[in-house]
């Protein structure tokens, strides 16, 4: 059982010298799971954060964020895969869940836009971007105008030509 207490240096030295401390000979190295292994284990659902529209004086759209059991991981690089293929699968999983939610909302007669994240690592590479754009193009016509993509994870020094090309292609589909 672990516990914490504040000790002076002398008390700390006495505690270390005592016989009641059990030392472990070898601390096992933490295992690093691959991006593909961890993405489905970490995402437990989606959270929706309202975006206020001043002209309409209402929340007309929502940011979509994947949720996880450990709140300390939310929004961190550990939570979002960095490799293009793993990030693509992560983004497609979020898109699929968000579109299901949006479809349910439309069936009830309500409408709002969903702004969901897409990784720069997958959206900027033609090979992985093609699958993402295909998924966007196959959305039902009633849902397409309500799905907005927020590109995230772009490095500060990303070439403007790649940013422009990626933006143009995504805007044409979402």
């Amino acid at each position: 059982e672990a516990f914490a207490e504040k000790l002076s240096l002398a008390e700390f030295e006495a505690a270390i010298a005592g016989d009641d401390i059990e030392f472990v000979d070898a601390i096992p190295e933490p295992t690093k799971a691959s991006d593909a292994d961890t993405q489905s284990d970490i995402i437990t659902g989606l959270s929706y954060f309202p975006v206020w529209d001043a002209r309409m004086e209402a929340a007309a759209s929502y940011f979509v964020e994947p949720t996880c059991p450990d709140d300390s991981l939310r929004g961190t690089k550990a939570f979002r895969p960095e490799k293009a293929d793993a990030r693509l699968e992560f983004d497609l999983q979020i898109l699929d869940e968000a579109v299901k939610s949006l479809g349910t909302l439309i069936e009830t007669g309500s409408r709002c836009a969903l702004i969901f994240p897409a990784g720069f690592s997958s959206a900027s590479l033609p090979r992985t971007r093609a699958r993402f754009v295909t998924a966007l193009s196959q959305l039902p016509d009633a849902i397409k105008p309500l799905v907005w993509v927020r590109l995230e994870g772009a490095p500060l020094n990303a070439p403007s030509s790649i940013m422009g090309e990626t933006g143009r292609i995504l805007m044409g589909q979402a």
Side-chain angles (χ1 to χ4, degrees), residues 50-72:
V51 178
W52 185 257
D53 185 333
R55 284 182 289 153
M56 296 178 66
E57 296 185 2
S61 57
Y62 291 83
F63 282 115
V64 176
E65 282 295 321
T67 57
C68 59
D70 183 0
D71 283 341
S72 67

Side-chain angles (χ1 to χ4, degrees), residues 91-109:
D91 292 341
L92 290 174
Q93 183 181 357
I94 294 170
L95 176 64
D96 184 52
E97 293 297 320
V99 167
K100 286 178 190 173
S101 298
L102 197 53
T104 303
L105 189 63
I106 289 174
E107 287 173 5
T108 65

Side-chain angles (χ1 to χ4, degrees), residues 1 3 15 26 32 34 43 51 54 56 59 61 106 126 130-131 138 142 147 150-152 164-165 167-168 171 174:
E1 183 176 315
F3 65 94
K32 182 177 184 327
S34 71
I43 296 176
V51 178
M56 296 178 66
S61 57
I106 289 174
R131 276 191 57 210
Q138 292 175 347
V147 173
R150 183 185 82 230
L151 195 61
E152 71 176 15
E165 175 186 0
R168 276 190 304 279
M171 282 180 58

Side-chain angles (χ1 to χ4, degrees), residues 10-39:
E11 291 170 326
F12 178 73
E13 288 174 346
I16 293 291
D19 293 333
D20 59 337
I21 295 180
E22 193 176 312
F23 291 97
V24 179
D25 291 334
I27 299 174
E29 289 293 320
T31 57
K32 182 177 184 327
S34 71
D35 286 337
D37 293 339
T38 60
Q39 72 182 7

